[in-house]
Amino acid sequence: MSIKTIFDDQNVPAPFQVPLNQKYDTYLLNGEIKKWQGKTSEVHSPIFTKNAEGKLEPTLLGTVPVMGEKDALEALDAANTAFNNGTGLWPTMKVADRIKCVENFAAIMATKREEVVNFIMWEIGKTLPDAQKEFDRTIEYIHDTIEELKELDRNCAKLKLHSEVYAQIRRGPLGVVLCLGPYNYPLNETFCLLIPAIIMGNTTVFKPAKFGVILITPLLEAFAEAFPKGVVNILFGRGREVATPIVKSGRVEVLALIGNSKSANALQSHHPKQNRLRLVLGLEAKNPAIVLPDTDMDLAVEECVLGSLSYNGQRCTALKMIFVHENIIETFNKKFVERVKQLKYGLPWEEGVKLTPLPEPGKPEYIKSLVDDAIAKGAEIINEGGGESHHSFVYPAIMYPVNEKMDLYHEEQFGPVVPILSFKDVQEPIDSIVNSNYGQQVSLFSVNADTLAPLVDSLVNQVCRVNINSQCQRGPDVYPFVGRKDSAVSTLSVRAALRSFSIRTLVACKNNQLNKDILNDMLDNNKSNFVNTNYIL
């Protein structure tokens, strides 16, 4: 099948149909779902369908609010009022009660699975299995977060006595969190910021990503029903108009963002007291694979294909550079090309499909510019049809040999183009990692522990995860997810995220009879939500 026919089938199976040209005109402010009366913007799918004249065009899914500074500051007011300098209902609530609210939210959210999954496919072109996995993984993440918080609270459910000073040490909220998620995982990675921020007692203002907006709308009622007013406020619009005035106000304590470093740098620069702004950032990466001459070739090829082209390479954890030893480069390239050729392309709900349309309207042109630059500087497209595009679809371009003069060597391509380089001495890829602006992960491929051990020992000090004979990846979510250099600030995982959105706080007093009587009164009569020894089962 030619990629020119990818959008020809207009018979969308009934289970995967979504309403078209709808008006999504609600948002969540201070616990109420409100109707938007102002300016709107159109949301188009990367899936092209035929119009009345039979011409292919991006499918119009509907319109969403375009909110501005006034609306942003109203949401910020609601979040600040709910936090109320730490005295509000939510930040002072018992941990067990906050957990019940989150459990209620997860239960309501689970009923929206089919609707949200379909929007993930239509809005960002993710395959059906990956869209389902994203939803299910998010529910699992919420429950894992709950269990981790229970364990954290249980460990705090006691008083310590040291040097004649009693203390109870817990983790307290930071304040108001501005939460901005990414378009490639608009549900999962967004909620990996939002849920731990909320459950630790912070209040939030949340703006969905530029793509993957409508899929949040089925969850507005769940947020409104599960949480007290002002705890979660959901706005729609451009980051510049919504996020910037919030940060400029200085009345936000945490910027939680998964995206690119330029956006993060621009936003944090607007805060009038930057030392007070905590950053929780997941940023770009240029994760390499190093394929050594003593590798299991078939395993290396399979993992590198998955790592570089899962979701069309639109993952921060994707393999974006593949270094292959010169002794095996010819065999590797041949097998890699053959394996990519086997990947099925098409529409997201088609069985077995792996390559799908791209949600960013300018991405095909950007991919072409990278390919053209690489060709002009000595690389070739080594797979048949590589780089061919049709509307929003781009067939993967496998580029070899890539060198340091090419844009593709330095830029995070975030799309279906795979740069392959050969090396003679393993110090060459190591030097590339050392000199890179990024330091998230690396994948090493070898069957020999003697080969791998020295590489592991050096690379763990350059990146934050070294994968042996497997692609780079985030999961399992209980493991740390972090990066060095320009790839991240703070750690995101189930356990670490709870700490990223909180601070250790303690109540202390000298060991004398007066203070012991006061503590006993608080504990015996359950007078304080902070000072208590309740054990959450």
Side-chain angles (χ1 to χ4, degrees):
M1 175 176 91
S2 167
I3 64 169
K4 301 295 184 184
T5 64
I6 190 171
F7 299 118
D8 282 358
D9 185 5
Q10 301 297 304
N11 297 316
V12 181
F16 312 126
Q17 292 177 7
V18 295
L20 302 179
N21 198 12
Q22 299 291 300
K23 183 185 290 187
Y24 297 95
D25 57 357
T26 57
Y27 63 103
L28 181 60
L29 176 66
N30 204 27
E32 295 182 29
I33 296 178
K34 300 204 167 201
K35 280 278 188 179
W36 176 249
Q37 305 294 338
K39 183 180 176 182
T40 62
S41 65
E42 293 183 342
V43 177
H44 291 93
S45 171
I47 298 167
F48 280 56
T49 51
K50 291 178 181 177
N51 60 22
E53 290 76 39
K55 181 181 178 182
L56 285 172
E57 60 183 12
T59 305
L60 177 60
L61 297 175
T63 59
V64 294
V66 176
M67 308 179 86
E69 180 174 351
K70 176 179 176 291
D71 315 294
L73 295 180
E74 282 183 2
L76 182 61
D77 286 343
N80 271 283
T81 299
F83 192 74
N84 196 20
N85 297 314
T87 67
L89 171 65
W90 189 249
T92 60
M93 187 180 287
K94 290 181 179 179
V95 171
D97 292 334
R98 289 206 301 265
I99 286 173
K100 288 177 183 176
C101 292
V102 176
E103 287 174 332
N104 185 28
F105 171 78
I108 301 170
M109 177 180 167
T111 66
K112 306 292 184 180
R113 182 178 187 266
E114 182 178 341
E115 190 175 359
V116 173
V117 164
N118 282 346
F119 277 128
I120 292 176
M121 288 192 292
W122 278 92
E123 283 197 84
I124 64 169
K126 189 165 285 189
T127 66
L128 174 61
D130 283 349
Q132 292 171 329
K133 181 180 178 181
E134 178 168 353
F135 188 95
D136 295 341
R137 182 180 174 186
T138 304
I139 294 289
E140 182 180 358
Y141 180 91
I142 295 173
H143 289 299
D144 286 346
T145 299
I146 289 169
E147 291 306 312
E148 188 60 42
L149 179 55
K150 287 180 180 180
E151 180 64 22
L152 179 64
D153 193 75
R154 286 193 286 259
N155 292 334
C156 297
K158 57 187 176 183
L159 271 69
K160 297 178 181 293
L161 178 63
H162 187 77
S163 300
E164 290 301 298
V165 175
Y166 277 107
Q168 179 149 45
I169 305 168
R170 294 187 179 276
R171 297 201 72 90
L174 296 165
V176 176
V177 178
L178 173 60
C179 182
L180 306 169
Y183 81 79
N184 58 334
Y185 287 91
L187 188 72
N188 181 256
E189 290 202 349
T190 297
F191 279 38
C192 287
L193 300 174
L194 191 59
I195 295 300
I198 295 167
I199 205 169
M200 292 308 291
N202 303 286
T203 59
T204 60
V205 179
F206 160 49
K207 188 196 81 67
K210 58 182 177 179
F211 309 111
V213 180
I214 295 175
L215 64 88
I216 296 296
T217 60
L219 303 177
L220 292 180
E221 290 184 3
F223 280 113
E225 183 176 332
F227 299 106
K229 67 179 185 177
V231 173
V232 183
N233 303 276
I234 300 178
L235 305 176
F236 299 91
R238 297 183 61 191
R240 190 174 300 170
E241 280 74 31
V242 174
T244 301
I246 289 175
V247 177
K248 275 186 175 180
S249 73
R251 295 188 295 130
V252 60
E253 280 68 43
V254 185
L255 172 61
L257 178 151
I258 297 179
N260 66 72
S261 53
K262 289 182 181 178
S263 299
N265 292 340
L267 271 177
Q268 62 181 293
S269 70
H270 289 300
H271 200 285
K273 297 178 180 179
Q274 291 185 33
N275 289 337
R276 296 188 184 184
L277 182 66
R278 178 173 289 199
L279 302 174
V280 181
L281 309 176
L283 305 172
E284 63 262 42
K286 188 76 173 174
N287 295 333
I290 303 176
V291 185
L292 298 152
D294 55 359
T295 191
D296 179 326
M297 182 66 75
D298 290 337
L299 172 64
V301 167
E302 183 67 20
E303 289 293 320
C304 285
V305 169
L306 291 173
S308 59
L309 290 174
S310 291
Y311 188 43
N312 307 300
Q314 298 169 119
R315 301 177 299 122
C316 66
T317 56
L319 290 175
K320 300 189 177 79
M321 297 267 280
I322 302 178
F323 292 90
V324 184
H325 194 274
E326 63 180 14
N327 290 352
I328 60 171
I329 186 68
E330 186 175 340
T331 303
F332 180 89
N333 282 351
K334 182 178 179 181
K335 286 180 173 288
F336 193 92
V337 168
E338 274 302 310
R339 184 66 186 92
V340 170
K341 189 177 180 180
Q342 295 169 12
L343 299 178
K344 181 179 178 180
Y345 56 86
L347 299 177
W349 47 80
E350 293 177 12
E351 186 175 355
V353 75
K354 300 295 183 183
L355 304 170
T356 56
L358 309 178
E360 291 184 276
K363 185 53 70 76
E365 290 75 17
Y366 173 68
I367 296 296
K368 185 179 186 303
S369 72
L370 291 177
V371 170
D372 290 346
D373 176 77
I375 290 173
K377 295 171 181 174
E380 295 180 358
I381 300 173
I382 62 173
N383 62 315
E384 183 181 354
E388 289 185 12
S389 64
H390 180 57
H391 297 298
S392 58
F393 183 85
V394 178
Y395 191 75
I398 306 169
M399 308 299 298
Y400 175 81
V402 170
N403 61 55
E404 294 182 25
K405 298 177 182 178
M406 302 170 186
D407 294 339
L408 187 54
Y409 183 94
H410 301 281
E411 295 183 22
E412 184 196 30
Q413 63 269 39
F414 218 73
V417 54
V418 184
I420 299 178
L421 305 80
S422 67
F423 68 90
K424 183 175 183 178
D425 187 327
V426 74
Q427 191 61 41
E428 297 170 39
I430 291 177
D431 288 343
S432 176
I433 295 170
V434 169
N435 294 322
S436 173
N437 290 327
Y438 310 114
Q440 190 194 78
Q441 300 188 32
V442 65
S443 290
L444 303 178
F445 292 93
S446 169
V447 297
N448 192 328
D450 292 333
T451 303
L452 289 167
L455 290 176
V456 168
D457 289 348
S458 62
L459 289 174
V460 290
N461 297 322
Q462 288 296 323
V463 299
C464 288
R465 176 166 168 161
V466 176
N467 302 277
I468 295 176
N469 292 317
S470 65
Q471 62 174 305
C472 296
Q473 56 193 303
R474 173 169 177 158
D477 287 325
V478 294
Y479 290 167
F481 182 56
V482 67
R484 297 175 185 266
K485 305 179 188 176
D486 290 337
S487 285
V489 177
S490 295
T491 303
L492 289 174
S493 65
V494 173
R495 175 176 296 181
L498 295 175
R499 288 160 173 79
S500 293
F501 288 102
S502 62
I503 190 167
R504 279 159 63 89
T505 307
L506 66 152
V507 172
C509 63
K510 290 183 179 179
N511 180 17
N512 56 47
Q513 192 58 49
L514 171 64
N515 290 335
K516 286 196 283 189
D517 289 344
I518 291 171
L519 288 175
N520 281 324
D521 188 18
M522 284 186 182
L523 296 172
D524 292 344
N525 296 294
N526 204 24
K527 291 184 175 180
S528 170
N529 288 344
F530 188 98
V531 180
N532 70 76
T533 53
N534 296 334
Y535 194 86
I536 303 175
L537 296 175

